[in-house]
Coordinates of all heavy atoms in Angstrom, one line a residue:
Y1 N -7.1 -3.0 4.1 CA -6.5 -4.0 3.3 C -7.2 -4.1 1.9 O -6.6 -4.5 0.9 CB -6.6 -5.4 3.9 CG -5.7 -5.6 5.1 CD1 -6.2 -5.8 6.4 CD2 -4.3 -5.5 4.9 CE1 -5.4 -6.0 7.5 CE2 -3.5 -5.7 6.0 CZ -4.0 -5.9 7.3 OH -3.1 -6.0 8.4
K2 N -8.5 -3.6 1.8 CA -9.2 -3.6 0.6 C -8.5 -2.6 -0.4 O -8.3 -3.0 -1.6 CB -10.6 -3.2 0.8 CG -11.5 -3.1 -0.5 CD -12.9 -2.7 -0.1 CE -13.7 -2.6 -1.4 NZ -15.1 -2.1 -1.1
K3 N -8.1 -1.4 0.1 CA -7.5 -0.5 -0.8 C -6.1 -0.9 -1.2 O -5.6 -0.7 -2.3 CB -7.5 0.9 -0.1 CG -8.9 1.5 0.0 CD -8.8 2.9 0.6 CE -10.3 3.4 0.7 NZ -10.3 4.8 1.3
K4 N -5.4 -1.5 -0.3 CA -4.0 -2.1 -0.6 C -4.2 -3.2 -1.6 O -3.3 -3.3 -2.5 CB -3.4 -2.6 0.7 CG -2.8 -1.5 1.6 CD -2.0 -2.0 2.7 CE -1.3 -0.9 3.5 NZ -0.3 -0.2 2.8
Y5 N -5.2 -4.0 -1.5 CA -5.4 -5.1 -2.4 C -5.7 -4.6 -3.8 O -5.1 -5.1 -4.8 CB -6.5 -6.0 -2.0 CG -7.0 -7.0 -3.0 CD1 -6.3 -8.2 -3.2 CD2 -8.2 -6.8 -3.7 CE1 -6.7 -9.1 -4.2 CE2 -8.6 -7.7 -4.6 CZ -7.9 -8.8 -4.9 OH -8.4 -9.7 -5.8
E6 N -6.5 -3.6 -3.9 CA -6.9 -3.0 -5.2 C -5.7 -2.4 -5.9 O -5.5 -2.5 -7.1 CB -8.0 -2.0 -5.0 CG -9.3 -2.6 -4.6 CD -10.4 -1.5 -4.3 OE1 -10.0 -0.3 -4.2 OE2 -11.5 -1.9 -4.1
S7 N -4.8 -1.8 -5.1 CA -3.6 -1.2 -5.7 C -2.6 -2.3 -6.2 O -2.0 -2.2 -7.3 CB -2.9 -0.3 -4.6 OG -1.7 0.2 -5.1
L8 N -2.5 -3.4 -5.4 CA -1.6 -4.5 -5.8 C -2.1 -5.3 -7.0 O -1.4 -5.7 -7.8 CB -1.4 -5.4 -4.6 CG -0.5 -4.8 -3.5 CD1 -0.6 -5.7 -2.2 CD2 1.0 -4.8 -3.9
A9 N -3.5 -5.5 -7.0 CA -4.1 -6.3 -8.0 C -3.9 -5.7 -9.4 O -3.8 -6.4 -10.4 CB -5.5 -6.5 -7.7
K10 N -3.8 -4.4 -9.5 CA -3.7 -3.7 -10.8 C -2.3 -4.0 -11.4 O -2.1 -4.2 -12.6 CB -3.8 -2.2 -10.6 CG -5.3 -1.8 -10.3 CD -5.3 -0.3 -10.1 CE -6.8 0.1 -9.8 NZ -6.8 1.6 -9.5
R11 N -1.3 -4.1 -10.5 CA 0.1 -4.3 -10.9 C 0.5 -5.8 -11.0 O 1.2 -6.2 -11.9 CB 1.0 -3.5 -10.0 CG 0.9 -2.0 -10.1 CD 1.8 -1.3 -9.2 NE 1.5 -1.4 -7.8 CZ 2.2 -2.1 -6.9 NH1 3.3 -2.7 -7.3 NH2 1.9 -2.2 -5.6
R12 N 0.1 -6.6 -10.0 CA 0.6 -7.9 -9.8 C -0.4 -9.0 -10.1 O -0.1 -10.2 -10.1 CB 1.2 -8.1 -8.4 CG 2.2 -7.1 -8.1 CD 3.5 -7.2 -8.9 NE 4.1 -8.5 -8.6 CZ 5.2 -9.0 -9.2 NH1 5.6 -8.4 -10.3 NH2 5.7 -10.1 -8.9
G13 N -1.7 -8.7 -10.2 CA -2.7 -9.7 -10.4 C -3.4 -10.1 -9.1 O -2.9 -9.8 -8.0
K14 N -4.5 -10.7 -9.1 CA -5.4 -10.9 -8.0 C -4.7 -12.0 -7.0 O -4.8 -11.8 -5.8 CB -6.8 -11.4 -8.4 CG -7.6 -10.3 -9.1 CD -9.0 -10.7 -9.4 CE -9.8 -9.6 -10.1 NZ -11.1 -10.1 -10.4
K15 N -4.2 -13.0 -7.6 CA -3.6 -14.1 -6.8 C -2.4 -13.6 -6.0 O -2.3 -13.9 -4.8 CB -3.3 -15.3 -7.6 CG -4.5 -16.1 -8.2 CD -4.1 -17.3 -9.0 CE -5.3 -18.0 -9.5 NZ -4.9 -19.3 -10.2
R16 N -1.5 -13.0 -6.6 CA -0.3 -12.5 -5.9 C -0.7 -11.4 -4.9 O -0.1 -11.3 -3.9 CB 0.7 -11.9 -6.9 CG 1.4 -13.0 -7.8 CD 2.3 -12.4 -8.8 NE 3.0 -13.5 -9.5 CZ 3.8 -13.2 -10.5 NH1 4.0 -12.0 -10.9 NH2 4.4 -14.2 -11.2
A17 N -1.7 -10.6 -5.3 CA -2.2 -9.6 -4.3 C -2.8 -10.2 -3.0 O -2.5 -9.7 -2.0 CB -3.2 -8.7 -5.0
I18 N -3.5 -11.3 -3.2 CA -4.1 -11.9 -2.0 C -2.9 -12.5 -1.1 O -3.0 -12.4 0.1 CB -5.0 -13.1 -2.4 CG1 -6.4 -12.4 -2.8 CG2 -5.2 -14.1 -1.3 CD1 -7.1 -11.8 -1.6
V19 N -1.9 -13.1 -1.7 CA -0.8 -13.6 -1.0 C -0.1 -12.5 -0.3 O 0.4 -12.6 0.9 CB 0.2 -14.4 -1.9 CG1 1.4 -14.8 -1.2 CG2 -0.5 -15.7 -2.5
A20 N 0.1 -11.4 -1.0 CA 0.7 -10.2 -0.4 C -0.1 -9.7 0.9 O 0.5 -9.3 1.9 CB 0.9 -9.1 -1.4
I21 N -1.4 -9.7 0.8 CA -2.2 -9.3 1.9 C -2.1 -10.3 3.0 O -2.1 -9.9 4.2 CB -3.7 -9.1 1.4 CG1 -3.9 -8.0 0.4 CG2 -4.6 -8.8 2.6 CD1 -3.5 -6.7 0.8
A22 N -2.1 -11.6 2.7 CA -1.9 -12.6 3.8 C -0.5 -12.4 4.5 O -0.5 -12.5 5.7 CB -1.9 -14.0 3.1
R23 N 0.5 -12.0 3.7 CA 1.8 -11.7 4.4 C 1.7 -10.5 5.3 O 2.3 -10.4 6.3 CB 2.9 -11.6 3.3 CG 4.2 -11.3 3.9 CD 5.3 -11.3 2.8 NE 6.6 -10.9 3.4 CZ 7.8 -10.9 2.8 NH1 7.8 -11.3 1.5 NH2 8.9 -10.6 3.4
M24 N 1.0 -9.5 4.8 CA 0.8 -8.2 5.6 C 0.1 -8.6 6.9 O 0.5 -8.1 8.0 CB 0.0 -7.2 4.9 CG 0.7 -6.6 3.7 SD -0.4 -5.4 2.8 CE 0.6 -5.1 1.4
I25 N -0.9 -9.4 6.9 CA -1.6 -9.8 8.1 C -0.7 -10.6 9.0 O -0.7 -10.4 10.2 CB -2.9 -10.7 7.7 CG1 -3.9 -9.8 7.0 CG2 -3.5 -11.3 8.9 CD1 -5.1 -10.6 6.4
L26 N 0.1 -11.5 8.5 CA 1.0 -12.3 9.3 C 2.1 -11.4 10.0 O 2.5 -11.5 11.1 CB 1.7 -13.4 8.5 CG 2.6 -14.4 9.3 CD1 1.8 -15.0 10.5 CD2 3.2 -15.4 8.4
T27 N 2.5 -10.4 9.2 CA 3.5 -9.4 9.8 C 2.8 -8.6 10.9 O 3.4 -8.3 12.0 CB 4.0 -8.4 8.7 OG1 4.6 -9.2 7.6 CG2 5.0 -7.4 9.2
A28 N 1.6 -8.2 10.7 CA 0.8 -7.5 11.8 C 0.7 -8.4 13.0 O 0.8 -8.0 14.1 CB -0.5 -7.1 11.2
I29 N 0.4 -9.7 12.8 CA 0.3 -10.7 13.9 C 1.6 -10.8 14.7 O 1.6 -10.8 15.9 CB -0.1 -12.1 13.3 CG1 -1.6 -12.0 12.8 CG2 0.0 -13.1 14.4 CD1 -2.0 -13.2 12.1
Y30 N 2.7 -10.8 14.0 CA 4.0 -10.9 14.6 C 4.2 -9.6 15.5 O 4.7 -9.8 16.7 CB 5.1 -10.9 13.6 CG 6.5 -10.9 14.1 CD1 7.1 -12.1 14.5 CD2 7.2 -9.7 14.3 CE1 8.4 -12.1 15.0 CE2 8.5 -9.7 14.8 CZ 9.1 -10.9 15.2 OH 10.4 -10.9 15.7
Q31 N 3.9 -8.4 15.0 CA 4.0 -7.2 15.8 C 3.1 -7.2 17.0 O 3.5 -6.7 18.1 CB 3.8 -6.0 14.9 CG 4.8 -5.8 13.8 CD 6.2 -5.6 14.2 OE1 6.5 -5.1 15.3 NE2 7.2 -6.0 13.4
I32 N 1.9 -7.6 16.8 CA 0.9 -7.6 17.9 C 1.3 -8.6 19.0 O 1.3 -8.2 20.2 CB -0.5 -8.0 17.3 CG1 -1.1 -6.9 16.5 CG2 -1.5 -8.4 18.5 CD1 -2.3 -7.3 15.8
L33 N 1.8 -9.8 18.7 CA 2.2 -10.7 19.7 C 3.5 -10.4 20.3 O 3.8 -10.8 21.5 CB 2.3 -12.1 19.1 CG 0.9 -12.7 18.6 CD1 1.2 -14.1 18.0 CD2 -0.1 -12.9 19.7
S34 N 4.3 -9.6 19.6 CA 5.6 -9.2 20.1 C 5.5 -8.0 21.1 O 6.1 -7.9 22.1 CB 6.6 -8.8 19.0 OG 6.8 -9.9 18.2
T35 N 4.6 -7.1 20.8 CA 4.4 -5.8 21.6 C 3.2 -5.9 22.5 O 3.2 -5.1 23.5 CB 4.3 -4.6 20.6 OG1 3.1 -4.8 19.8 CG2 5.5 -4.5 19.7
G36 N 2.3 -6.8 22.3 CA 1.1 -6.8 23.1 C 0.1 -5.6 22.9 O -0.6 -5.2 23.7
E37 N 0.2 -5.0 21.7 CA -0.7 -3.9 21.3 C -1.7 -4.4 20.3 O -1.4 -5.3 19.5 CB 0.1 -2.8 20.8 CG 1.1 -2.2 21.8 CD 2.0 -1.1 21.2 OE1 1.8 -0.8 20.0 OE2 2.8 -0.5 21.9
A38 N -2.8 -3.7 20.2 CA -3.9 -4.0 19.2 C -3.4 -3.5 17.9 O -2.5 -2.7 17.7 CB -5.2 -3.3 19.6

């Protein structure tokens, strides 16, 4: 997520990049709880 954040922060700014990372984490949570995989 660090490398994804650095890439996003250059284009969209730090605040929007953090929100984007939070959304990525929630999407990962959805997939983990749906599939039961790490």
Side-chain angles (χ1 to χ4, degrees):
Y1 289 117
K2 182 181 180 181
K3 293 185 178 181
K4 284 186 174 291
Y5 169 77
E6 291 172 352
S7 176
L8 288 167
K10 291 177 182 177
R11 295 182 287 111
R12 306 294 291 170
K14 293 182 179 181
K15 290 184 178 180
R16 289 179 177 174
I18 280 292
V19 173
I21 297 298
R23 180 173 177 176
M24 291 179 191
I25 292 174
L26 186 56
T27 303
I29 291 170
Y30 177 86
Q31 297 297 333
I32 288 172
L33 295 178
S34 299
T35 61
E37 299 176 359

